Amino acid sequence: MSAASEAKDFLSSYDGKKVRIMEVCGTHTHEIFKDGIRQILSPQIDLISGPGCPVCVTPADFIDEAVMLALEKNCTITTFGDLVRVPGSEKSLADARADGAKVNVVYAPQDAVKYAQLHPDEEVVFLSVGFETTVPSECLAVQQAIEKGLKNFSLLTANKTMPEAYLAMKDATDAFLYPGHVHAIIGTSVCEKLRDEYGISGVCAGFTPSELLVALALEVKGLSRGEPFFINAYPRVVREEGSPKAVALTEKYMEPVDVLWRGIGEIKNSGLALREEYSDFDARKKYALPHITGRDNPACRCGEVLQGKCTSEECPLFGKACRPEHPVGACMVSSEGACSAFYLYGRH
């Protein structure tokens, strides 16, 4: 019998103490749903979809800033596609585009640099949203803009980092299913520190059905022993040292800052912003943006979903006013969002 088959049998028949496991990766959430893993789990295993989707945790005030840049500062906004429909306080970027703003979807920050080079008469802003996985490419975009002598390119940053978020969410779960792609960049030492200093347990997981089954089985077995633990179940990609080159590139251009997570609140040192020496590429400073306090739709429960306080299906808007074709909250907009996963797979 394969390791995955053994893991599946164990997870299906587990009858020990009830355990809570939080996936903090939107891709994990979708893969677990799509592969039918939730359906085979013992009722004693509770999976919680945490704040692992960068679009979902991007606050309304960031969208408001982007809309202001587009409509009032006449900037060309370049962004990944998921952000276009995320609601701000009054408008989304899709609404701004309908009002005449230039909002272009790109597939990488380097596409935005190339666009700025080809359109020197336009002020081009890339919406820098993501976790440790995407930040190095955004830093590389700034480096390329410097090398090309571009004056019309900048970043509006809303980057998040996971270590402080793990600490902020530790009471919502018994163990974390750590995202493999994040730890491929930052390594596993942070997980060992969380175990040793805070008693936080977790398993670093890959993304195939067999990798997820094995990782979840390791989680449940580890929790049954009653001692804090960390296991790297994705060693073919994740190393203890991570990616030193990517970390060095990030540290050269970015520095930690306190940032707001949609629905969760401010988490200290959980974000990244451009260092002062690169402020010419910081859209907030370049265009003197005022401080904006965004407003979420009060009926939307995305914040509670991201904290594991409720499931998507417990939100009164889910599947009714809030659907993929007409999303009310960011968790339904994003292809990695928990509500999107519940809507596409969970109801069936």
Side-chain angles (χ1 to χ4, degrees), residues 17-280:
K17 179 182 177 182
K18 192 172 184 66
V19 296
R20 301 171 301 162
I21 299 171
M22 179 180 282
E23 333 109 36
V24 284
C25 170
T27 305
H28 278 163
T29 299
H30 274 255
E31 289 303 314
I32 287 169
F33 263 118
K34 187 172 68 175
D35 299 330
I37 292 175
R38 278 179 175 263
Q39 281 75 13
I40 61 96
L41 294 180
S42 158
Q44 295 301 100
I45 302 171
D46 188 11
L47 288 188
I48 302 168
S49 300
C53 162
V55 171
C56 299
V57 296
T58 298
D61 53 70
F62 177 82
I63 303 300
D64 296 343
E65 289 177 314
V67 169
M68 177 178 287
L69 286 169
L71 291 177
E72 298 183 26
K73 305 294 184 179
N74 297 315
C75 294
T76 297
I77 302 298
T78 53
T79 178
F80 298 133
D82 278 1
L83 272 177
V84 173
R85 295 194 302 151
V86 174
S89 299
E90 296 180 1
K91 293 177 182 288
S92 66
L93 285 165
D95 297 325
R97 183 160 58 187
D99 290 341
K102 289 186 177 180
V103 179
N104 296 339
V105 173
V106 295
Y107 296 99
Q110 287 67 37
D111 296 336
V113 174
K114 184 176 181 180
Y115 184 93
Q117 187 177 17
L118 294 173
H119 299 82
D121 55 327
E122 296 182 31
E123 291 293 323
V124 179
V125 177
F126 177 74
L127 304 187
S128 180
V129 171
F131 296 123
E132 291 93 337
T133 318
T134 59
V135 173
S137 65
E138 290 152 3
C139 294
L140 187 60
V142 174
Q143 180 176 297
Q144 291 174 341
I146 293 171
E147 292 171 351
K148 296 176 184 295
L150 299 181
K151 304 295 184 183
N152 64 327
F153 174 81
S154 59
L155 301 180
L156 183 67
T157 58
N159 301 106
K160 306 287 194 299
T161 56
M162 290 309 305
E164 297 301 322
Y166 295 147
L167 281 173
M169 302 298 297
K170 65 182 178 63
D171 294 332
T173 184
D174 297 316
F176 288 108
L177 191 69
Y178 289 125
H181 44 36
V182 166
H183 290 280
I185 300 296
I186 66 174
T188 60
S189 61
V190 63
C191 304
E192 293 163 359
K193 180 179 179 180
L194 291 169
R195 176 198 61 199
D196 297 340
E197 295 186 13
Y198 300 97
I200 296 173
S201 297
V203 174
C204 190
F207 299 91
T208 67
S210 59
E211 287 170 333
L212 287 165
L213 284 168
V214 169
L216 288 169
L218 289 170
E219 295 259 24
V220 176
K221 290 178 180 179
L223 288 168
S224 299
R225 289 191 287 270
E227 296 291 333
F229 64 90
F230 166 67
I231 301 169
N232 179 11
Y234 198 30
R236 66 186 178 89
V237 173
V238 176
R239 304 285 189 272
E240 181 179 0
E241 69 277 11
S243 174
K245 288 185 177 179
V247 171
L249 185 65
T250 296
E251 290 178 347
K252 177 180 178 180
Y253 289 96
M254 300 273 191
E255 62 184 356
V257 292
D258 303 342
V259 293
L260 189 68
W261 294 57
R262 183 188 287 258
I264 297 174
E266 184 177 270
I267 303 177
K268 290 187 176 299
N269 293 321
S270 65
L272 292 168
L274 285 167
R275 294 184 179 275
E276 183 61 33
E277 54 264 43
Y278 303 107
S279 60
D280 289 347

